[in-house]
Amino acid sequence: MEETIVRAAVRDDIPTIVSLWRVLQETNALHDPYLTPGPGSEDWFREYLKARIDGEIGIFVAVCAGEVVGYTFGQIVQRPTLAAGECGYIADLCVRPDSRGHGTGRRLYERLRIWFIDNDVHNIEVQVVRANPASQAFWRKMGFGEFLKTLRTEISINQGNA
Ligand SMILES: CC(C)(COP(=O)(O)OP(=O)(O)OC[C@H]1O[C@@H](n2cnc3c(N)ncnc32)[C@H](O)[C@@H]1OP(=O)(O)O)[C@@H](O)C(=O)NCCC(=O)NCCS
């Protein structure tokens, strides 16, 4: 097995990152149809990356045999009402299906963790799809534990809540 390295993402990586983002969205939608990406979401994500890849976000790719096989990105979010003031938020982490199970996800997370520490951020949050057991297991292995639960309901005008 060739060595995998993790490096900062550059503009040329954007098309591959977007294709991995699609894999991530499809995985989430498979586990929970509510998470099905809307029309135009891929274009939105591409533009989002183009606007921020040069510094505003921490974005890293895993490269094996010259190919990008995974990516992660996170950002610093202000939490003005908390004593901590801000936190690190991990938006995405995805490893190509044929490259999983070899420590690539862990390496990507470790690199992003260092980026947060370098930016003086010491609390990190990630949202995990409840119905995705692989993701749950992975983040717990990375040392994360539950601290909030997001609840959702579908509402209609005739519905009571008794
Ligand atoms: C979750 C994901 C990122 C894991 O990537 P990976 O490269 O296979 O993970 P690693 O090989 O680095 O595994 C790291 C640890 O997590 C555990 N882990 C990873 N996938 C797991 C799974 N499906 N079930 C149970 N444990 C798992 C590993 O056992 C490993 O533990 P260890 O270090 O103690 O041996 C990958 O499966 C993926 O991209 N999934 C689709 C997208 C997704 O759900 N992303 C996470 C939400 S943002």
Side-chain angles (χ1 to χ4, degrees):
M1 176 102 191
E2 294 241 16
E3 196 197 353
T4 299
I5 60 135
V6 173
R7 61 162 171 79
V10 294
R11 280 181 180 271
D12 284 353
D13 297 321
I14 289 178
T16 315
I17 293 172
V18 171
S19 69
L20 286 164
W21 176 86
R22 197 182 319 122
V23 171
L24 176 59
Q25 306 313 312
E26 283 165 1
T27 306
N28 287 340
L30 207 65
H31 288 295
D32 188 334
Y34 175 68
L35 299 170
T36 302
S41 57
E42 197 171 304
D43 294 338
W44 177 87
F45 181 62
R46 189 179 299 103
E47 294 310 312
Y48 179 93
L49 285 185
K50 279 186 192 164
R52 291 167 179 80
I53 200 164
D54 293 327
E56 207 176 305
I57 56 176
I59 179 159
F60 301 94
V61 290
V63 181
C64 184
E67 285 185 43
V68 170
V69 296
Y71 82 102
T72 189
F73 95 83
Q75 54 204 321
I76 299 164
V77 176
Q78 299 307 308
R79 293 268 190 263
T81 58
L82 300 185
E86 59 187 12
C87 78
Y89 179 72
I90 299 176
D92 295 348
L93 193 154
C94 186
V95 175
R96 208 169 72 183
D98 62 353
S99 299
R100 292 177 189 168
H102 300 289
T104 302
R106 181 184 284 279
R107 254 174 246 143
L108 282 163
Y109 166 63
E110 288 298 338
R111 183 62 192 86
L112 188 55
R113 195 171 69 91
I114 288 166
W115 183 81
F116 283 127
I117 291 171
D118 287 347
N119 282 281
D120 213 22
V121 169
H122 299 279
N123 288 282
I124 312 177
E125 298 179 14
V126 65
Q127 285 196 313
V128 179
V129 178
R130 216 176 150 68
N132 180 347
S135 175
Q136 299 265 355
F138 174 80
W139 288 114
R140 280 172 202 284
K141 281 281 171 112
M142 299 304 112
F144 287 70
E146 272 184 38
F147 87 111
L148 289 176
K149 221 170 234 180
T150 302
L151 307 182
R152 179 175 71 86
T153 187
E154 214 173 308
I155 51 168
S156 74
I157 204 156
N158 297 319
Q159 185 185 26
N161 61 357

